[in-house]
Amino acid sequence: MAASWRVSSPARWRWLALFCALALVASACGGGNDDDDDGGGVAAEATAAPEAPSGDGDSAPAPSEDGEDAPEPSASDDGDQDAAAPEDTADAPEATAAPEAAVEPQYGGTLVFGLEAETTNGLNPVNAQAAVSGHILFRNLYDTLTIEGVDGEVLPYLLESFSSNDDFTEWIFTLRPGITFHDGTPADSAALKRHLEEQSKGTLTGIFMSDLEILSIDELDDGLSVQINLARPRATLPAHFTTHLGYFGAPSMHDLGAEGAARNPIGTGPFMLDEWVPNEVTRMVRNPNYWRTDAEGRQLPYLDAIEFRPIPDTDGRFAALRSGDLDASSVNTGLRIDEYNEEFKTFWQEDKYAETTYMLLNNSRPPYDNAEFRRALAQCTDRQTFNTIRWDGQVPSTGPFSPGTPGYLEDSGFPAYDVGAGSATIARLGISDVEIGTTIDPANLLNVELIAAMWRECGLDVSITQVDQAEFITNAVFGLFTAFLWRQHPSYDIAGERIWWHSKFGQGIALNFGRINNPRIDAALDEARDTNDPDERRELAEEINRAFADEANYIWFYHSNWLVATHDHVHGIDALTLPEGGEHVKVMEGRAFLAETWVEQ
């Protein structure tokens, strides 16, 4: 996607010159990268707990952070006429490749798939710190209890059905009959109860499970159902089991203890673990007893094996795909769009429910505990210039919700770029030193260097710290940071964001990484637990968006585009046949289902 843009102020020319110099230095050091992975998820990706953000800045285990959509570039949302916005409309990446002609799938073969990071602490969803790469592994080792539909409705997946009483305090989850785990044991009501109990014991997943206020879990006489009894209503409980909390592991796996389960995952998924060599390869082989078939009734999966290879350097991953060392790769980028679209088959996430990339600020540590300083820092950040240089030129995000996602506002009231006002406030407050953290990916370093240059224009002395992605997420959980560039919050279900934003989860080992204490956000999240009315939930999400803007708890940049790129001999990357029909969200947060993927022999 090519876009023309202008940079008119002297400061912006200096930032562009600095960025080019930094890029040359990085290249000379063997790490030049003009693709962008924001280190985040959950966090760089979601962290290990309920589902998470990208700290993938993407990262975490329970419900997830979600929301994405690239708006048509127009005037900057911060109202700055000099912003480096594209003069012409910057075309969004073409959504998912055109449907392939009907071709008979072939069984066999091995798919080599590139990932942006290793999931270093293992493959047990209860304790894993999983960013997007970890969730790709999980989606092929395990099946989730429920799954996201394209219209915002949560659908049964491993579950055959779910239902509740009128006040949402009693829920019945019923599994499909005849499903077995990789070790041949039945996926029945006893296993489901054990699964929920183990999730409650997890260091991070337990935080979320405790918030559900479960009074008891009772097995029902049919052998496939459990009744979950809650102390208070949870109107959208099934939505919390589409990701981390929903990865269904066998009782025999949990019998191995935390460490044993981490290296010996046993799920119901289409593939089984064959070998795991950390930072080199995770090899999975076909589950011969998988429960699903494709739309024509053919047994899944098609592939004999998948080899997942972590390549943190985005340039290195692109080169490996181009050379043929990889058959496919997940990519989070706003750059090289034309190259990917022209050289490979590309499957892009749809607009809604995109993650948002933002500066995660630790609201509990000076100077970021001062809302006046945070607003001034937002004024010092030329987000449009950043998006143009480092992403796809899209208009800066107004909050954590992408266009098309309930809660999105064209103007949330987030502070506009005003370096004069921002620097005056910072000078008055007497703040001189700040620190930014990022991952070891050279692309992420270039990102924060550009932000640091902007903040220095406001009189701040900015230092930068780099750590690997696993440590990045751990630091977020324990609050051992001041500012991170992060990626998270697809916001498929607003109640699922509760653990990431509510002050209840901002103490000690916390999933509210920014330690936000915003009464308006708390009140809206509390109310969202009690209603499944779409209009009410949209209004609550919009209130959260405005509350974020008023307090500048975070600094929003852009909505992340995820894609899976493949060579022509790879087919069915985004295919997923749901048991009762319907359509799932494609390539959501870069997480791919590969049971219906096949390669030409």
Side-chain angles (χ1 to χ4, degrees):
M1 171 183 63
S4 60
W5 51 277
R6 65 184 185 278
V7 178
S8 57
S9 74
R12 290 181 182 126
W13 280 117
R14 289 197 296 274
W15 298 333
L16 181 57
L18 172 62
F19 172 78
C20 293
L22 291 168
L24 288 172
V25 171
S27 179
C29 294
N33 194 329
D34 45 304
D35 211 353
D36 176 84
D37 269 332
D38 15 316
V42 122
E45 277 189 11
T47 142
E51 165 190 343
S54 112
D56 272 330
D58 175 322
S59 56
S64 173
E65 25 150 18
D66 272 274
E68 155 182 358
D69 201 65
E72 292 288 318
S74 58
S76 170
D77 70 328
D78 58 21
D80 177 39
Q81 297 304 309
D82 291 329
E87 293 178 353
D88 300 318
T89 299
D91 298 330
E94 295 196 3
T96 312
E100 300 174 10
V103 179
E104 189 78 10
Q106 298 179 22
Y107 284 93
T110 297
L111 179 76
V112 183
F113 196 106
L115 301 175
E116 68 174 1
E118 177 64 270
T119 303
T120 56
N121 65 336
L123 302 174
N124 174 13
V126 172
N127 294 303
Q129 291 182 334
V132 166
S133 296
H135 285 281
I136 292 174
L137 300 177
F138 290 164
R139 284 183 181 253
N140 293 288
L141 290 168
Y142 307 91
D143 292 303
T144 53
L145 297 176
T146 59
I147 195 168
E148 305 94 343
V150 293
D151 59 357
E153 180 184 3
V154 174
L155 306 172
Y157 193 45
L158 266 182
L159 294 182
E160 184 175 64
S161 66
F162 50 76
S163 60
S164 74
N165 61 356
D166 290 342
D167 69 354
F168 308 114
T169 58
E170 296 177 1
W171 284 86
I172 294 177
F173 283 9
T174 301
L175 291 160
R176 300 180 187 278
I179 298 176
T180 59
F181 293 103
H182 296 158
D183 62 357
T185 58
D188 57 14
S189 58
L192 181 54
K193 180 179 180 180
R194 176 72 180 278
H195 167 78
L196 297 172
E197 291 171 344
E198 292 295 335
Q199 292 282 13
S200 298
K201 298 175 186 176
T203 302
L204 298 180
T205 55
I207 295 174
F208 176 73
M209 292 292 287
S210 67
D211 188 57
L212 296 179
E213 299 182 59
I214 297 175
L215 296 175
S216 64
I217 303 170
D218 303 323
E219 293 183 53
L220 302 186
D221 292 339
D222 63 4
L224 293 172
S225 303
V226 300
Q227 179 171 310
I228 305 170
N229 304 299
L230 308 176
R232 60 158 297 109
R234 201 71 173 206
T236 59
L237 183 68
H240 302 313
F241 296 92
T242 60
T243 54
H244 218 110
L245 294 183
Y247 295 126
F248 193 14
S252 57
M253 179 182 79
H254 299 304
D255 289 341
L256 299 173
E259 287 193 23
R263 299 199 66 89
N264 298 277
I266 304 172
T268 63
F271 297 94
M272 308 178 294
L273 183 66
D274 179 54
E275 179 184 32
W276 178 35
V277 181
N279 299 309
E280 292 186 21
V281 65
T282 300
R283 177 180 169 82
M284 301 179 190
V285 295
R286 186 176 190 270
N287 174 7
N289 300 309
Y290 190 48
W291 61 280
R292 283 201 308 115
T293 59
D294 67 11
E296 302 300 323
R298 291 176 288 236
Q299 181 63 44
L300 297 173
Y302 300 129
L303 293 167
D304 284 340
I306 306 175
E307 293 182 1
F308 292 101
R309 297 181 183 174
I311 306 175
D313 187 322
T314 51
D315 268 349
R317 201 160 63 256
F318 178 84
L321 184 64
R322 172 182 274 172
S323 70
D325 289 341
L326 298 176
D327 299 307
S329 178
S330 62
V331 183
N332 181 232
T333 183
L335 304 176
R336 274 189 169 160
I337 289 174
D338 287 341
E339 289 181 87
Y340 275 106
N341 284 340
E342 291 169 4
E343 297 189 36
F344 309 106
K345 291 196 297 188
T346 54
F347 301 86
W348 291 91
Q349 178 174 344
E350 300 293 334
D351 286 346
K352 290 195 300 185
Y353 312 125
E355 292 179 303
T356 300
T357 289
Y358 59 99
M359 186 61 72
L360 173 66
L361 305 177
N362 190 335
N363 287 227
S364 70
R365 294 182 62 175
Y368 301 108
D369 59 345
N370 185 326
E372 190 176 9
F373 172 73
R374 295 194 302 267
R375 286 191 289 267
L377 199 61
Q379 291 176 316
C380 292
T381 309
D382 188 346
R383 299 179 296 134
Q384 183 64 74
T385 293
F386 180 88
N387 288 2
T388 299
I389 295 175
R390 294 303 293 150
W391 198 246
D392 62 359
Q394 68 177 258
V395 173
S397 309
T398 64
F401 308 103
S402 60
T405 303
Y408 171 76
L409 294 169
E410 186 173 347
D411 182 4
S412 65
F414 190 82
Y417 174 62
D418 188 338
V419 67
S423 57
T425 299
I426 290 171
R428 177 171 53 78
L429 294 174
I431 297 170
S432 59
D433 302 301
V434 294
E435 183 251 1
I436 307 176
T438 189
T439 67
I440 57 177
D441 186 340
N444 292 336
L445 178 59
L446 291 175
N447 288 337
V448 297
E449 285 282 10
L450 181 56
I451 295 168
M454 296 175 181
W455 292 2
R456 289 174 185 132
E457 291 286 334
C458 278
L460 291 169
D461 184 4
V462 186
S463 60
I464 296 172
T465 301
Q466 287 184 277
V467 297
D468 66 35
Q469 192 176 82
E471 184 178 352
F472 197 66
I473 296 173
T474 299
N475 289 347
V477 171
F478 286 94
L480 304 177
F481 74 100
T482 53
F484 279 166
L485 194 61
W486 202 254
R487 180 187 66 215
Q488 194 176 352
H489 309 303
S491 300
Y492 186 85
D493 171 59
I494 186 60
E497 300 290 0
R498 178 177 168 82
I499 59 165
W500 310 116
W501 297 336
H502 198 288
S503 62
K504 175 181 178 180
F505 303 100
Q507 306 293 323
I509 299 176
L511 296 179
N512 174 355
F513 302 130
R515 276 65 180 170
I516 298 168
N517 187 357
N518 190 320
R520 290 171 59 189
I521 293 176
D522 285 357
L525 290 170
D526 287 342
E527 192 173 343
R529 292 180 301 184
D530 303 338
T531 178
N532 63 357
D533 180 86
D535 290 334
E536 291 181 15
R537 294 170 70 78
R538 174 184 52 76
E539 291 173 2
L540 291 169
E542 290 175 356
E543 165 64 7
I544 289 171
N545 204 348
R546 295 187 183 96
F548 264 125
D550 289 347
E551 292 290 315
N553 298 106
Y554 298 145
I555 299 175
W556 312 107
F557 285 100
Y558 54 81
H559 303 298
S560 295
N561 305 113
W562 273 102
L563 77 145
V564 175
T566 79
H567 287 285
D568 288 342
H569 65 274
V570 179
H571 303 270
I573 278 287
D574 67 339
L576 177 62
T577 302
L578 300 182
E580 284 78 39
E583 188 177 0
H584 71 294
V585 176
K586 305 292 186 183
V587 195
M588 187 167 180
E589 297 177 86
R591 303 169 187 186
F593 295 89
L594 302 177
E596 296 181 51
T597 299
W598 58 279
V599 294
E600 296 177 23
Q601 305 297 300

